[in-house]
Amino acid sequence: MTGAPTITRAGDSGVVSLDYGLASTMLALGSVPRAIASLRNWSEWVVEPTMPQGVVDIGTTSEINLEVLTSLRPSLILSTPFLAALDEKLFRIAPVETFTVYAENGEALGRAYVETLRLGAMIGRRQEAEAFLASADATFGRLRERVKSLSAPPVAVINFIDQRHARIYGGPGLYGGAMRRIGLENAWKGEASYWGFRTIGLEQLAELDEEANLVVVSPLLPPDVLTRLSESPLWTSLPFVRRQRISVVPGVLMFGMVQEALRFSTIMVDVLETAAR
């Protein structure tokens, strides 16, 4: 989809990633991590790209299996500022490099570009990183032209926490940045953290533009939440429900990097084109 190089065999890099976005970026640059944290949940939260066979699961970031990690003898461990408490233990095993995408006073997508180049240089894939980002720019440009041709209504993007609450996306986060990049108006005008979301009560969705479309990002929590909400007078009174302007899309890592922004943007435009037919 993004014109990334062909992935080589699993684990040939010797690099371990504690972050999904960094691991996904490695794949986009044609390098496969030796191991990642929370591999078992990759297919649920990242979905694409698929993690190649042979990559080792070293446990969750809250419970890293240091014995397994040590046995792998990694050449480098990729981390984020939110895992700084692990640094002292990790430095005994291998060099640790911290990448910052989500932080105050900046946008996730812009930082993801910068950190992609830094990661590429660090793992010997600088040219691949430059090519990947050039391809990403071209893809965003094509998606922007498709959005222009649609005269699309504003779009609100959420995922459910439970039957009464949701995360709604915007602000400086990845989803919000991707929407701005392709010229898609975000129906949510409220504040959002630097992670790119705000937790709201579902009644706050009544504040959205009446013409807005709603996009729900999987996984659905709980799985039958939309069925249960169909019995709620509040939910069924919302304009996008009455007009059947709701789309449920596959999971896209909301705290990812450029590869996830591309996938999210492509899915959004595909959904809008389908709704416009």
Side-chain angles (χ1 to χ4, degrees):
M1 178 186 70
T2 59
T6 302
I7 292 172
T8 52
R9 65 185 174 84
D12 65 353
S13 66
V15 177
V16 170
S17 178
L18 305 185
D19 177 75
Y20 281 163
L22 291 167
S24 174
T25 302
M26 285 186 65
L27 298 182
L29 305 188
S31 181
V32 179
R34 180 71 182 89
I36 68 169
S38 299
L39 175 60
R40 69 176 64 184
N41 299 122
W42 178 274
S43 60
E44 180 180 15
W45 291 104
V46 183
V47 184
E48 293 180 3
T50 302
M51 185 60 68
Q53 294 291 320
V55 175
V56 177
D57 191 338
I58 55 170
T60 66
T61 52
S62 60
E63 293 185 58
I64 295 291
N65 190 322
L66 296 176
E67 184 176 345
V68 170
L69 181 59
T70 301
S71 72
L72 296 174
R73 303 181 66 182
S75 58
L76 179 66
I77 299 172
L78 309 180
S79 189
T80 73
F82 309 100
L83 301 174
L86 297 173
D87 284 355
E88 184 178 349
K89 293 178 180 178
L90 297 177
F91 273 124
R92 298 172 188 166
I93 299 171
V96 178
E97 193 66 34
T98 298
F99 292 79
T100 302
V101 174
Y102 296 87
E104 298 282 2
N105 303 316
E107 293 195 352
L109 185 53
R111 283 196 173 107
Y113 266 70
V114 172
E115 295 293 58
T116 295
L117 289 174
R118 190 162 73 92
L119 176 60
M122 196 165 294
I123 64 174
R125 301 267 175 170
R126 175 75 188 202
Q127 289 185 336
E128 289 85 350
E130 291 173 349
F132 168 66
L133 294 180
S135 176
D137 286 339
T139 300
F140 283 130
R142 289 191 295 270
L143 292 170
R144 190 177 185 89
E145 289 304 311
R146 287 167 64 185
V147 170
K148 279 184 183 178
S149 69
L150 283 171
S151 299
V155 179
V157 181
I158 70 168
N159 66 331
F160 290 104
I161 296 174
D162 54 36
Q163 279 184 250
R164 296 182 180 180
H165 302 88
R167 285 177 173 175
I168 192 162
Y169 291 89
L174 195 72
Y175 286 2
M179 293 172 75
R180 286 187 293 274
R181 186 68 184 270
I182 64 174
L184 186 58
E185 183 181 355
N186 195 330
W188 175 250
K189 309 301 183 185
E191 295 181 355
S193 69
Y194 60 74
W195 287 106
F197 72 90
R198 181 176 177 181
T199 300
I200 61 170
L202 295 187
E203 70 278 1
Q204 291 175 264
L205 294 175
E207 301 170 14
L208 301 178
D209 187 312
E210 287 202 357
E211 299 301 315
N213 286 1
L214 184 74
V215 173
V216 181
V217 181
S218 298
L220 297 181
L221 301 171
D224 61 347
V225 62
L226 287 173
T227 300
R228 293 185 184 183
L229 285 173
S230 66
E231 301 172 358
S232 163
L234 167 65
W235 179 257
T236 55
S237 70
L238 294 171
F240 52 78
V241 177
R242 294 199 317 267
R243 298 177 185 181
Q244 298 184 329
R245 291 183 172 178
I246 303 177
S247 301
V248 179
V249 301
V252 181
L253 182 63
M254 61 284 291
F255 309 131
M257 293 176 65
V258 179
Q259 180 127 278
E260 287 66 46
L262 285 168
R263 183 161 176 268
F264 171 77
S265 299
T266 301
I267 287 173
M268 293 294 285
V269 176
D270 287 346
V271 161
L272 291 173
E273 287 179 338
T274 298
R277 288 174 190 156

